[in-house]
Amino acid sequence: MARKVLRHPLFIRVTHWVNMIAITSLIISGFYIHNPLKYNFFSTMDAARKLHFYMMYVVMAGLLARVYYAIATKDYQNIWFRFKDLKNFPALLRYYLFLTDKHPNWGKYNPGQKLVYSGWGFLLIIQILTGLALYKPDTFPTLASIFGGLNIARLIHYLVNWIFVITVAIHLYLDLTEGLGIVKSMFTGYVTVDEEEPTVVTKEQLRQTL
Amino acid sequence: MNKISRREFLKFASFTAATLGLSQSVPEVAYALENAAKGQPPVIWIQGASCTGCSISLLNSVHPDIKEILLEIISLKFHPNISAATGHVAVEAFLGEAEKNKGKFFLVVEGAVPTKDNGVYCSIGEKDGRELYFSEIIKELGEKAKAVIAIGTCAAYGGIPAADPNPTGCVPVSEVIDPKKVLNIPGCPPHPDWFVGSLAHVLLYNELPKTDKFGRPKMFYGGIIHDNCPRRQYFDNSIFAKDFSEPGCLLLLGCKGPVTYSDCPTRLWNGGVNWCIKAGHPCIGCTEPGFPDKIGPIYEKMPEVKLPGISASADTFGEVVGAATAIGLGAHLIGNIVTGRLGGHKKKDKEGEK
Amino acid sequence: MAQKIVVDPVTRIEGHLKIEVMVDGGKVVDAKSSGVLYRGIETILVGRDPRDAQQITQRICGVCPTAHATASTFNLDNAFGIQPPKNGRILRNLIFGANYLQSHILHFYHLSALDYVKGPDASPFIPRYEGDYRLPNAVNQKVVEHYILALEMRKKAHEMLAIFGGKMPHVVGIVPGGSSETVDAQKIIDFRSRLKELTSFIDNVYIPDVLTIAEYYKDYFDIGRGCQNLMSYGGFPQSDDGSDRFLKAGVFLQGQEQELNPEKITEHLKYSWFDDNNSQKHPREGVTAPKPGKDGAYSWMKAPRYDGHPMEVGPLARMWIGGEKKVKGLGEKAFSVLGRHLARALEASRVAHAMEEWLLEIEPGKPTHTPFEIPKESEGMGLTEAPRGALGHWIKIKNYKIANYQAVVPTTWNASPRDDNGVLGPIEQALIGTPVKDPENPIEVARVVRAFDPCLACAVHLFTPGQDLGKFKIY
C-alpha cells in the first residue's frame, strides 16, 4: 500500500535550490578567476568577481539558515554523519559495486549521503574562511596567517573547490540514477512510499538501525 | 708605476675637486663622523646564512641616505661589510660592544640560522682558537640586545637557504631568539624604507611597530600588492600578458601580487625608479613566509600539490581527480544499465508506481 | 720559528671567510683560507622549475646577483634553444653593466679603501687594524670624503640599473629569452643621464683615488704576485648569438696568450674531501661524491684548473687579455695588489663608456623578449664574466624539471686549494711572501686577499655537506 509522505519541507527545498544556484555560480566564476583564459565563461574579471562575491553572501546566508533549521527542528539527526555510520559503509559499498542488490534502510539518508552532506557544511566553512582571507586581505590579515599565508589559502580554496565539483557530480549522478522520485520530491516536497519503508525516520527507528 | 705619473694624478685630482666641489666640506664630514657615536642608539649587525643583499639594499636608502643613517640616526658598532674592523678586532668589536651596551643596543640579523649538525655550516669568527658558530652567537647577542631586527626573508622566515630540502637546517631568527623581542622585516631583499622606517618608529616611540601574525610591521606590510597594483585595471578587464614585456596583468605568468603583503606598488624601488611589476615581471612574493616553496614556483600561480609519491601542479591534480571521477561515474552508469538497476534500488517491484 | 696568524672573520668582502697564515721572518710562508658558510643552493635547485634558476641563483650573492642572473639566463637560453632579440641583449648588457660599475666602486671604496685610508675615529671606522696608514692627513680626508660620495654614486648605479632591471639587489629584468622590460626614449635618456654622472665619477675620482693610493703604497706593486695565469670567459655579448663579446674571452698561460677552450677545464680533487676517482673531470661530467676525512685532503672546495694550471680570474685577467695598455704597460707589476685595483678601476671606465654606445644601439618599439617553451629534456651552459671573474653555470633538465645544476664561480678559481700536482691556488700563491710587520695587526694579509674581491657566498655555496665535517677549509 503506497502513500504520499512529506520528504522535503518547503524550507529545505528553498535552501537546497538557493544553495544549488549559489554553489554552481561560485564554481563557474571561481574557475574563471583561477584561469580566465582556460575557463573563458565571463567577459571580464570584474564581472566574474562580482558574481563570485554576491554568491558568496548568498551561500553564507544559505549555510546559516540550513544549520539553524537543522538544529531547530532536530533535522541534524537525519543528516549528521556519525562515527557509527562508518560501520554501515561496507554494506553501502557492496551495493554500489553491484555485489549485492540489497539496499538496507538507513533512514532518510544513507551513510554516504550523510558523509557528503555533513562534509559540505565543513568544506563550506573552509571555503568561506579562505575566501574571506582572499577577498579582504587587508581586513582579515590574521585569517590568511592561519593558513600559512594567502598563497596556501588560495591553494586550499582551489583544491576544496574540486572536492565540491566532484561531490556535486556524484550527488547529481546518484540522484538521477537511483530514484527520480526523490529528485521530484525536491520540487514537490512529497514522495510516494510503501508503508513498511518509511523515508522519514523517527528517533526510535534510528536507534534500531544503529 | 712610471706609466701613470704623479703629475697626471694631480691634474685629475684638482679637476675632481673643481667639478664636484668637494674639498671644502671635508672637515665638516669628519667632524660629524666623530660625533656620530655620541648619544645615538648602538646597532650591531651580523650575517648568517645570507647573501649580503639586505645590506646592499640598505645602502640604497634615499631619504635618509646611508650617510645620514650612519651620521645622525644610529651608531653602527659593527657591520661585516662596512666596518673597518677585521679578524680578531672584528670579533672583539661585536662581542665587546654587545657587552658594553647590554640592554641598550639593537641587534640586526641578516640571514637564516643554520642549526643542523650544531650549526657548523656558518661561523662568524674565531675566538681563543674556537669557531664562533652563528647559531650560538645570535643567542648570546640576542639575550643582551634591547630588540632584534630580523632583516630579510631569510632571517624572518628561513627564505632561500631553508627551501626544500633545507640542506643546512636553516631556521628563522624568531626560533632561536625570544620572538617577542624580534621584529621581522621580510623581503628578498627588503626595501630600505621598511628597515629605516621601522627603526625610526622604534627610536621615536620607544616601542616596536604594530605587526601582523608573521611579525611584520603593518605600516609596510598591511595590504596586498594586487590591490594597489598599477596593472589592476588590466586584471579587472581581463587583459592578461602571455609573455614577459607585454602589457597586461601578469597573473598568468605566475604573479604573486594577489597573495603578497607589501607596499611595493606605491613605494617603488631604487629611489622610485621602478619595481618588479612595472618592469614587466611578475611579483615573486618575496616578503611572504614560505618563500620560495609555499609561494612558488615563481612562474606558476600555485605551489605544487605534494602527496606521498605524487607531485603535481594544483591544476593537474584537480583535473586528474575530476577526470577520474567522471570515468568512475561513467563506468558505474554502464554497470547500472547492465544490471538493470537504473532508476533506483526499489524499482524492480515498483515499476510503474508514481 | 713560524708564527700562525688567524684573520677570522675577514670582513668587507661578500660572505664568511677565514684566513690562516704562517709567518716566518716577517713573511708569509704558508696560507690557508676557509669559507665558513654553506647554504647548498644547488641542492635546493634540484627538482624545481628550470625558470626558477634565474631568480634563485641570484640569491647566491647579493653583491652581484646580476652576474648569476646573466649566467643562468645564458644557461637557460642555451638549454631552451632560444636567442634574445637585439633589444633584449642590449638591455641585459646595460643592467649587468650598471652592476659592474656599482660593484667596482663598492669594492674599492667601501670594501678595500679602509685598508689604506684611516677613517674618522668613530663607528663603523673603529676599531681597526692599527699601523701602516701612510696617506697624509689632507689626502686621507679627501679619500674619506670620496668614500661618502661613492656611497651616493653606487646607489645611483643601482637606480640606473633598476630602470631596466626592475629592482636591485636581485633583478627581475634579466629573464630567459631577453628582458621583461620594454624600452622608450625616456628610459634611455634617464639611464644616460645617470650613466654620465657615474662615468665622470669613475674617470675623475675613482681612477685618481686608486692612483693616489698607489703613490703612497708603491710596494704593493710587488706584493701579491700570484700564479700569473689569467682567464676570461668573455662578457657582454655584442652579437645576438652571444659569440662576440665586449670583454674578450681568452687565456694567458705561462706567458702565452691562447684562445679559450672551455673543454680544457677540469676539477682536481686530491686535496678536497671528494672521491679521487672523479678527479680531473670537466664540470659537466663532474661527480660530487663526498669523502669526509679523506687522507691529505683539507678542503670542501674543488680545485678548478685550465689545462692543468691554476688560473686567476677577475678584472686584471680581463684587462690583460683585452689588451688594456695601461695594465699591460705595468709589465710584471700588473700582477700585484695594486695592479688588480688599477685594472678594476680602468675596467669600470671602459664599461661605462661602452654602455653609452650600447644605449644608442637600442631600437625603441622593437621586442625585448623571445617567447620560449621549456623542453622536456635538455642541457645548457652559460658562461659570463662576473665583476669578480669567470662565472659558469651548467644545467640538466629532465622531465621539465632541473635534474642537476652546477655553478663554477670566480672565487672557486681564485681561492681554490692545491691541485693534484700540489700547485697552490691563486690567492694562496699571492699570499706567499707577503711581509707581515705586526702579527697583531696583519693588515698586509687583508690587503692581498681583498684585492681579489672574494665572494665567499658564491664559492662556498657549492660544497656538499658530509657526515661529520668540522668545517670547510681552503688550505
Side-chain angles (χ1 to χ4, degrees), chain C residues 127-145:
Chain C
R128 60 180 163 237
Y129 280 151
E130 291 304 334
D132 186 32
Y133 298 98
R134 308 177 196 167
L135 300 185
N137 265 349
V139 180
N140 192 75
Q141 279 188 338
K142 184 167 279 183
V143 183
V144 170
E145 175 71 7

Side-chain angles (χ1 to χ4, degrees), chain B residues 1 3-6 8-9 12-13 15-17 19-20 22-23 25-27 29-30 33-37 47-53 56-57 59-62 65-67 70 75-91 93-94 114 116-117 120-126 131 133 160-168 188-189 243-246 269-271 273-276 278-282 284 286 291-293 297-300 304 311, chain C residues 6-16 18 20 36-41 43-44 48-49 51-52 54-56 59-63 102 106 110-111 114 120-129 141-142 144-149 151-152 154-155 158-159 162-170 172 175-176 179-182 194 203-205 208 211-212 214-216 218 221 329-330 333 342 368-372 401 440-441 446 450 457 465-467 469-472:
Chain B
M1 195 52 229
K3 297 281 167 192
I4 304 117
S5 72
R6 185 177 170 80
E8 204 178 334
F9 153 65
F12 269 131
F15 175 75
T16 307
T19 10
L20 300 161
L22 295 171
S23 49
S25 56
V26 173
V29 170
L33 275 168
E34 272 156 31
N35 280 284
Q47 293 170 342
S50 78
C51 73
T52 314
I56 299 291
S57 186
L59 294 182
N60 289 342
S61 183
V62 178
D65 64 7
I66 186 70
K67 180 178 111 188
L70 294 180
S75 172
L76 189 60
K77 296 295 181 193
F78 181 74
H79 187 294
N81 307 117
I82 299 174
S83 281
T86 202
H88 67 95
V89 181
V91 173
F94 61 74
K116 202 170 141 190
D117 302 327
V120 295
Y121 299 97
C122 183
S123 140
I124 59 168
E126 185 179 306
E131 289 296 333
Y133 292 135
I160 294 275
D164 186 56
N166 195 353
T168 56
C188 193
D243 190 21
F244 299 112
S245 80
E246 281 180 14
W269 277 74
N270 296 94
V273 169
N274 211 340
W275 70 294
C276 301
K278 191 177 171 214
H281 191 280
I284 66 171
C286 71
F291 169 80
D293 287 345
I298 289 164
Y299 302 101
E300 298 292 338
E304 291 197 331
S311 168
Chain C
V6 180
V7 185
D8 184 14
V10 178
T11 54
R12 283 182 283 119
I13 57 159
E14 200 302 315
H16 299 60
K18 166 180 170 176
E20 261 181 59
V36 284
L37 160 69
Y38 163 76
R39 290 180 295 164
I41 301 276
T43 318
I44 288 167
R48 287 178 197 269
D49 189 318
R51 294 169 293 177
D52 289 9
Q54 178 268 131
Q55 281 296 319
I56 290 180
R59 270 78 185 169
I60 289 173
C61 174
V63 179
Q102 188 277 152
L106 177 90
H110 309 119
L111 303 183
L114 296 178
D121 292 331
S123 303
F125 301 104
I126 50 163
R128 60 180 163 237
Y129 280 151
Q141 279 188 338
K142 184 167 279 183
V144 170
E145 175 71 7
H146 292 171
Y147 174 103
I148 302 287
L149 179 67
L151 282 172
E152 193 60 30
R154 62 145 298 283
K155 179 169 80 193
H158 267 182
E159 288 174 4
I163 293 171
F164 296 125
K167 84 172 205 303
M168 182 69 193
H170 305 324
V172 294
V175 290
S179 174
S180 67
E181 249 300 4
T182 53
R194 294 167 203 260
D203 288 346
N204 302 320
V205 182
L211 297 179
T212 309
E215 278 291 306
Y216 292 94
K218 272 200 176 104
F221 273 114
L330 289 170
K333 286 185 189 295
L342 193 62
T368 56
H369 187 258
T370 308
F372 58 83
K401 296 281 166 66
E440 276 301 301
N441 292 290
R450 283 204 187 99
Q467 292 307 307
L469 43 109
K471 60 201 290 292
F472 310 99

Side-chain angles (χ1 to χ4, degrees), chain B residues 86-208:
Chain B
T86 202
H88 67 95
V89 181
V91 173
E92 282 156 24
F94 61 74
L95 291 182
E97 291 290 348
E99 188 56 44
K100 208 164 85 190
N101 297 292
K102 206 170 170 177
K104 282 185 285 184
F105 74 95
F106 294 93
L107 179 68
V108 184
V109 184
E110 176 179 354
V113 188
T115 56
K116 202 170 141 190
D117 302 327
N118 300 320
V120 295
Y121 299 97
C122 183
S123 140
I124 59 168
E126 185 179 306
K127 199 189 177 193
D128 308 327
R130 210 186 129 257
E131 289 296 333
L132 301 175
Y133 292 135
F134 181 66
S135 52
E136 293 168 12
I137 288 296
I138 75 158
K139 266 183 217 161
E140 186 187 327
L141 297 185
E143 271 165 31
K144 290 178 185 166
K146 181 179 182 182
V148 180
I149 297 178
I151 190 167
T153 302
C154 298
Y157 310 126
I160 294 275
D164 186 56
N166 195 353
T168 56
C170 275
V171 298
V173 169
S174 53
E175 281 186 25
V176 185
I177 300 174
D178 176 13
K180 277 182 223 121
K181 241 182 170 179
V182 180
L183 183 70
N184 289 332
I185 311 287
C188 193
H191 195 291
D193 290 2
W194 300 340
F195 172 75
V196 177
S198 306
L199 192 67
H201 184 99
V202 175
L203 298 181
L204 282 172
Y205 308 117
N206 203 26
E207 58 164 27
L208 293 179

Side-chain angles (χ1 to χ4, degrees), chain C residues 219-272:
Chain C
D219 47 331
Y220 280 85
F221 273 114
D222 297 309
I223 294 172
R225 186 79 54 235
C227 63
Q228 300 192 49
N229 298 324
L230 306 170
M231 184 180 73
S232 163
Y233 289 160
F236 300 109
Q238 300 299 297
S239 60
D240 293 345
D241 65 357
S243 56
D244 180 27
R245 306 227 171 162
F246 171 71
L247 295 174
K248 298 288 174 240
V251 167
F252 181 75
L253 185 58
Q254 295 177 315
Q256 298 293 315
E257 299 206 6
Q258 300 178 2
E259 280 208 3
L260 172 78
N261 176 4
E263 294 307 309
K264 287 187 177 176
I265 299 169
T266 51
E267 291 180 307
H268 291 226
L269 303 175
K270 188 175 173 188
Y271 291 90
S272 313

Side-chain angles (χ1 to χ4, degrees), chain C residues 325-442:
Chain C
K325 285 195 190 97
K326 281 177 186 145
V327 173
K328 291 198 112 172
L330 289 170
E332 211 196 17
K333 286 185 189 295
F335 300 91
S336 64
V337 170
L338 285 174
R340 289 180 188 106
H341 282 299
L342 193 62
R344 190 170 288 115
L346 293 168
E347 181 179 74
S349 170
R350 264 196 169 197
V351 171
H353 285 283
M355 283 166 74
E356 258 191 270
E357 304 291 317
W358 300 342
L359 271 174
L360 299 176
E361 289 170 22
I362 293 176
E363 297 166 354
K366 295 266 178 70
T368 56
H369 187 258
T370 308
F372 58 83
E373 274 182 14
I374 304 170
K376 191 172 183 203
E377 291 201 6
S378 188
E379 281 187 21
M381 174 176 85
L383 300 180
T384 191
E385 280 290 318
R388 284 145 193 83
L391 173 63
H393 281 209
W394 286 265
I395 191 172
K396 269 195 183 136
I397 301 173
K398 266 187 197 151
N399 206 11
Y400 308 105
K401 296 281 166 66
I402 298 174
N404 191 17
Y405 204 99
Q406 290 292 322
V408 179
V409 305
T411 304
T412 316
W413 284 96
N414 285 339
S416 76
R418 290 159 169 80
D419 57 33
D420 289 4
N421 308 317
V423 180
L424 275 69
I427 289 185
E428 289 176 338
Q429 289 194 29
L431 278 169
I432 303 292
T434 301
V436 178
K437 273 190 203 129
D438 174 8
E440 276 301 301
N441 292 290

